[in-house]
Amino acid sequence: MTLLTSLEFENFEKDQLESYLTQLQAIGIKNEQDFLLAEFSTLLSKTKIPVNSLRQIETQILNSSHVDCQLASELFVKENSSRFTLSTGSKRIDQLLGGGFISREINEVSGPPGAGKTQLALQMTGLILVQDPSACVIYLDISRNFCLRRINEIIHHRGYIETDIEVLATRIKYSQCNDVYSFMDYLETITIQLKKWNNTKLLVIDSITSIFSPILGVAYIKGRAMMYSAIRTLQQLAQEHNLVVLIINSAVGNHRNLERSTLNKANTKPALGSAWSNLPYTQIFLSRNQELIEYDKYRRTTIDCQILKSHRSDIGSMAKVELSQAGIY
């Protein structure tokens, strides 16, 4: 997703082009995606830009989306030279994933409410920061489930008892958004900010469901186009900045099963449908088991973790993990 002001437009005088871009920004057209998704008649009626000039802008935007070719061997060396594997903080989940989540990739954790999705995101956030004193985490809290106290509890139970959570929190770039439009604006913002935030290891989006599910139902074609645009931007960020992108997604299916937070393989699946499921590189599904374990006066809940999509692990492979005050083991 590229800002219009960052593109090079030919056949326009400088003052003329600045006037056109200012008019487009005034009606909310800030980047190439906004321009291509807008109705052409709307652009004509709400600006004083001549139709031929609008057509020229459209043509140059489309032409700028070219594809560069390179040798596959060069691409392989480039992509793997600086990649790293980020542990989830759970040995069993790491084993399922072949070590953890890989940088430069989009990863999804889905499941019913209460299955431990946010717990895993908070756990990874805290452990990255205590293990790497220079690391930063970007956390987009759409579902309002972010809890600094919970991060503190997890890292203290993991042995980092002298860690000052307030100091740790200065390396968490925390934001909120409410709808797809503020979400797209947020992606545009961090595209710029990431150039300033050194050693950012993880980008968490919790959760993507409430952003795209409303528009996929009402305006399916436009909603899907915006979803694909968002993923392309996230992929670009992951590649350019060597990030692990972790997206939290809900589940849909039998309502009774969702309330009880159990996995019914026939009826329960990640939300947003098949159009979305093709986009992440890795997908794991968490489901809360009925089994409760009493251990040292603490309650532990067992959780089933299943690989739904992976290039490195066997699809369908599962592991049982435990959720306690120390997070997910």
Side-chain angles (χ1 to χ4, degrees):
M1 190 166 51
T2 307
L3 292 173
L4 291 180
T5 51
S6 302
L7 296 175
E8 294 184 4
F9 292 99
E10 301 175 353
N11 305 322
F12 292 109
E13 297 292 336
K14 183 179 179 181
D15 292 342
Q16 183 186 46
L17 179 61
E18 288 180 356
S19 172
Y20 290 167
L21 295 182
T22 300
Q23 291 181 60
L24 290 171
Q25 289 175 350
I27 61 171
I29 308 299
K30 300 178 181 179
N31 53 56
E32 56 184 4
Q33 168 213 304
D34 294 338
F35 188 94
L36 295 175
L37 289 176
E39 294 289 341
F40 203 80
S41 57
T42 302
L43 298 178
L44 279 173
S45 62
K46 292 189 176 182
T47 69
K48 296 180 180 179
I49 305 174
V51 61
N52 290 338
S53 296
L54 283 173
R55 291 295 185 195
Q56 287 183 40
I57 293 173
E58 180 183 48
T59 300
Q60 291 186 43
I61 288 175
L62 293 172
N63 290 340
S64 68
S65 304
H66 64 278
V67 178
D68 294 324
C69 296
Q70 63 183 118
L71 293 175
S73 57
E74 294 176 353
L75 182 63
F76 179 80
V77 172
K78 180 181 177 180
E79 288 191 349
N80 288 278
S81 59
S82 59
R83 283 194 179 202
F84 63 89
T85 301
L86 197 60
S87 171
T88 63
S90 166
K91 290 183 179 179
R92 294 173 183 173
I93 296 180
D94 284 350
Q95 288 173 352
L96 272 184
L97 294 170
F101 290 120
I102 309 297
S103 65
R104 300 181 185 270
E105 294 185 358
I106 309 295
N107 306 278
E108 179 197 83
V109 177
S110 61
K117 305 182 298 296
T118 297
Q119 296 293 316
L120 190 64
L122 296 175
Q123 171 174 304
M124 290 180 65
T125 297
L127 292 177
I128 292 166
L129 297 177
V130 294
Q131 291 168 3
D132 185 344
S134 67
C136 293
V137 174
I138 300 173
Y139 205 108
L140 179 58
D141 184 24
I142 301 168
S143 58
R144 306 299 191 268
N145 286 329
F146 180 82
C147 182
L148 201 57
R149 186 183 305 146
R150 178 58 176 144
I151 293 177
N152 190 44
E153 181 181 44
I154 291 172
I155 61 177
H156 277 210
H157 278 81
R158 296 291 182 106
Y160 301 96
I161 57 177
E162 297 182 358
T163 301
D164 186 334
I165 190 62
E166 292 185 5
V167 174
L168 207 70
T170 61
R171 290 186 282 126
I172 301 175
K173 311 300 182 182
Y174 175 86
S175 299
Q176 296 179 348
C177 69
N178 301 310
D179 55 36
V180 68
Y181 300 104
S182 59
F183 178 67
M184 302 304 282
D185 286 342
Y186 173 79
L187 292 183
E188 192 174 294
T189 299
I190 62 170
T191 299
I192 299 170
Q193 293 296 327
L194 266 170
K195 298 175 182 177
K196 306 174 184 178
W197 296 337
N198 296 324
N199 202 28
T200 301
K201 294 291 185 71
L202 175 66
L203 166 58
V204 177
I205 299 175
D206 183 11
S207 78
I208 199 75
T209 320
S210 57
I211 292 296
F212 288 115
S213 58
I215 61 172
L216 287 177
V218 177
Y220 182 74
I221 296 176
K222 186 173 182 178
R224 193 162 71 169
M226 296 184 76
M227 184 171 71
Y228 289 160
S229 176
I231 281 292
R232 282 197 302 271
T233 301
L234 288 170
Q235 287 172 339
Q236 184 177 358
L237 291 175
Q239 290 284 338
E240 290 182 359
H241 301 279
N242 200 24
L243 293 174
V244 172
V245 176
L246 182 66
I247 296 177
I248 306 301
N249 190 12
S250 298
V252 294
N254 185 288
H255 185 65
R256 183 183 304 171
N257 287 330
L258 293 179
E259 285 183 336
R260 290 162 51 188
S261 298
T262 59
L263 172 62
N264 184 311
K265 296 177 183 177
N267 299 321
T268 310
K269 58 186 178 181
L272 300 181
S274 58
W276 165 263
S277 65
N278 294 323
L279 303 178
Y281 288 79
T282 302
Q283 290 179 297
I284 64 173
F285 193 96
L286 302 181
S287 55
R288 197 165 185 167
N289 201 293
Q290 294 296 318
E291 183 181 0
L292 284 175
I293 303 171
E294 297 286 345
Y295 182 76
D296 291 343
K297 297 181 181 180
Y298 294 117
R299 299 179 68 185
R300 297 186 177 186
T301 304
T302 60
I303 293 173
D304 293 323
C305 176
Q306 182 179 15
I307 300 288
L308 297 185
K309 181 180 178 182
S310 175
H311 300 294
R312 302 176 184 87
S313 307
D314 294 332
I315 296 175
S317 56
M318 297 184 66
K320 285 188 179 295
V321 296
E322 294 179 0
L323 173 62
S324 67
Q325 288 182 306
I328 297 176
Y329 268 100

